[in-house]
Amino acid sequence: MFNSSLSLDQAPPLKIPLRFFITSPIFGLLAGLFILGFVSSLQARSSLSVVVFTHLITLGFLAMTMLGAMFQMLPVTAGVTLKHQQIIAPMVHGLLTAGLLLFAYAFYNYQPTLMIVAMAMLLSAFLVFVVATISTLKNAKNITPTIKAFIGALASLLVALLLAGYLVLSHVNTGFSEYHQAVVYTHIIFSLLGWIAMLIIGVSYQVIPMFYVADAYPKLYTKYAIKVIFILLVGLGFSLIIDNPSLYLLFKVFVALVLADYALSTIGLLLNRKRKIIDTTTYYWYFAMLMLLASIGLSVANEWLHMAQLNTMVVVVFIYGFAMSVITGMMYKIVPFLVWFHLTNEGYMSMPTMHELIGKKLTTIQFILHVLTLLSLAIFAFDSSFQIATGVLMVLSNALLLANLIKGSKIYFTKRGLQKMSF
């Protein structure tokens, strides 16, 4: 992802990815507050309060961070500069932030007109980014496996957005077709297994070998995994639309095997890494891969158990246990690195090391809070009496994450005390 030949002409200004990274835990914090005040149970997944809570996490935390990561990584991995990034990044960030806040208000209060406005803002945010990305990739010098994963993730995002638009219009018209539930599940599939999982896989192709001095992922996997996953997701969606449970189960098992192979491969690479130093981000990656395996196992098992609460738990473990864990660990690595990278490129050398910018104690405490939050959420899926504990833990975990990211990045914006090199 980054190397010694990287110049500031390729990398975007620090404030571009950082605005997304800093905003994401704020939405995580808001999700915790929303649980405290409005989510009395997770068992009714289609309830408006659960829909709002889910999107505060998936759009507010996950998508916000992933867009920031893509603004950072696209120019570097593709070898081309994202055109008009100084205008596009604030526009995407603003539309996503305002659109999600309006979405939460409109859905919780069931305001059809505001739903349409919110959806238009959210669609605009993603479409502006997708169009800018496609126009950039046309001139890409090197289509790496990471770039291929980004393309697959963006294709999945477009499918998820189209389905989301249909679902919002269904709410506005208060008329649900016979395919409504199939569309809901297909939207979830392309959002979680397409957009989120593919993007995480693509990022890990770069992050694991670079930051952990590990071997690269097997070439066979990096060459075919994204294509196979996307085809399988199309198969899953098709089997839902035609209501063929046997075909759906077949595709689901194959998706499970591909994702399980990714999780086990990542664990193997980390265990055999050349640099055996342990930090909090390593805990996050191990934990994330174990939670991915857990969500896969629970999801496949529930094809025979048929427990509604277990379905909810699968989504909780995938989103909060796998996706949020990877992304949090990634931010703890990338934010200090970017601060160090930009400062050294500006000639500043007398400064803390990357590991000292935040500190292991604070990140470890936050990791413990993150694990406790997931545990509480999992119990909350079965027992509504855990509402207060879940909300409080989520607020504390995301508040500390926010404080840690601010602590790790503020030195760049307050450079007093740093000695500049003299040439």
Side-chain angles (χ1 to χ4, degrees):
M1 181 171 59
F2 306 102
N3 54 50
S4 58
S5 64
L6 178 61
S7 71
L8 287 176
D9 292 335
Q10 292 172 294
L14 178 59
K15 65 181 180 180
I16 286 182
L18 198 61
R19 63 163 43 94
F20 291 89
F21 294 157
I22 295 295
T23 305
S24 60
I26 296 175
F27 275 105
L29 197 157
L30 288 176
L33 292 174
F34 192 78
I35 278 188
L36 284 172
F38 305 105
V39 185
S40 58
S41 172
L42 289 180
Q43 293 180 15
R45 289 188 301 161
S46 60
S47 71
L48 294 177
S49 59
V50 174
V51 169
V52 171
F53 166 71
T54 302
H55 285 82
L56 285 173
I57 295 295
T58 54
L59 294 180
F61 190 99
L62 299 181
M64 186 71 71
T65 312
M66 293 191 298
L67 288 174
M70 290 185 77
F71 270 112
Q72 175 62 43
M73 293 180 69
L74 274 171
V76 178
T77 54
V80 289
T81 302
L82 193 68
K83 295 179 181 178
H84 312 298
Q85 58 185 357
Q86 298 278 23
I87 299 172
I88 291 172
M91 183 187 301
V92 171
H93 179 268
L95 285 169
L96 180 57
T97 300
L100 181 52
L101 291 173
L102 185 59
F103 174 93
Y105 176 83
F107 262 79
Y108 186 75
N109 293 284
Y110 212 84
Q111 299 286 329
T113 303
L114 292 180
M115 286 181 189
I116 294 176
V117 176
M119 194 64 205
M121 295 173 72
L122 292 172
L123 285 172
S124 298
F126 287 112
L127 288 177
V128 166
F129 178 78
V130 170
V131 170
T133 301
I134 292 173
S135 64
T136 298
L137 290 178
K138 285 181 180 178
N139 302 315
K141 301 173 183 176
N142 184 24
I143 303 298
T144 65
T146 294
I147 294 298
K148 292 178 182 177
F150 286 176
I151 293 171
L154 290 174
S156 298
L157 175 62
L158 287 174
V159 175
L161 289 174
L162 289 172
L163 297 176
Y166 168 85
L167 293 173
V168 169
L169 289 176
S170 298
H171 279 284
V172 171
N173 297 326
T174 62
F176 301 123
S177 73
E178 59 180 306
Y179 300 107
H180 179 78
Q181 204 58 42
V183 172
V184 170
Y185 285 130
T186 306
H187 167 70
I188 293 171
I189 285 169
F190 275 94
S191 297
L192 300 187
L193 302 181
W195 161 238
I196 293 174
M198 284 187 190
L199 196 57
I200 287 175
I201 290 171
V203 169
S204 63
Y205 288 164
Q206 297 288 337
V207 168
I208 296 298
M210 177 192 169
F211 284 124
Y212 300 96
V213 198
D215 291 333
Y217 283 83
K219 287 186 178 180
L220 188 65
Y221 194 89
T222 58
K223 186 175 182 179
Y224 294 109
I226 297 301
K227 296 176 184 176
V228 170
I229 292 172
F230 190 84
I231 292 170
L232 292 174
L233 297 189
V234 172
L236 279 171
F238 175 73
S239 60
L240 284 169
I241 297 297
I242 66 172
D243 193 21
N244 188 324
S246 298
L247 188 61
Y248 174 81
L249 180 59
L250 179 65
F251 281 116
K252 185 172 184 174
V253 168
F254 278 116
V255 172
L257 290 173
V258 175
L259 292 178
D261 181 62
Y262 162 72
L264 292 171
S265 297
T266 303
I267 292 172
L269 291 174
L270 289 170
L271 286 173
N272 295 303
R273 66 192 186 280
K274 299 176 180 66
R275 192 178 181 187
K276 297 292 185 179
I277 295 174
I278 295 287
D279 62 12
T280 310
T281 67
T282 315
Y283 302 149
Y284 264 112
W285 276 98
Y286 280 130
F287 184 70
M289 294 305 113
L290 291 174
M291 290 304 98
L292 176 56
L293 291 171
S295 64
I296 291 169
L298 291 171
S299 181
V300 173
N302 206 36
E303 290 295 321
W304 287 271
L305 297 174
H306 303 294
M307 294 174 59
Q309 295 97 329
L310 196 56
N311 264 338
T312 302
M313 191 173 175
V314 167
V315 176
V316 165
V317 172
F318 183 92
I319 292 175
Y320 214 95
F322 164 60
M324 281 191 71
S325 297
V326 166
I327 286 173
T328 303
M330 180 185 72
M331 285 195 290
Y332 277 147
K333 273 293 188 186
I334 290 181
V335 169
F337 177 82
L338 290 178
V339 170
W340 171 84
F341 169 75
H342 282 276
L343 284 174
T344 53
N345 271 276
E346 291 178 22
Y348 292 93
M349 292 297 170
S350 179
M351 60 179 180
T353 65
M354 284 171 52
H355 299 292
E356 294 169 338
L357 285 173
I358 298 177
K360 186 175 180 179
K361 183 178 180 181
L362 288 173
T363 56
T364 301
I365 293 172
Q366 196 273 321
F367 173 72
I368 293 170
L369 285 171
H370 175 79
V371 173
L372 291 175
T373 302
L374 174 62
L375 179 61
S376 186
L377 269 170
I379 298 173
F380 186 37
F382 291 87
D383 185 353
S384 58
S385 67
F386 267 72
Q387 176 187 5
I388 302 300
T390 302
V392 169
L393 284 168
M394 191 176 294
V395 167
L396 291 176
S397 177
N398 284 280
L400 184 53
L401 172 59
L402 175 62
N404 287 344
L405 293 178
I406 292 173
K407 181 177 184 289
S409 58
K410 69 179 182 180
I411 191 173
Y412 179 79
F413 301 99
T414 56
K415 302 172 187 175
R416 289 178 231 173
L418 293 176
Q419 280 188 348
K420 199 163 188 176
M421 288 180 60
S422 56
F423 296 92

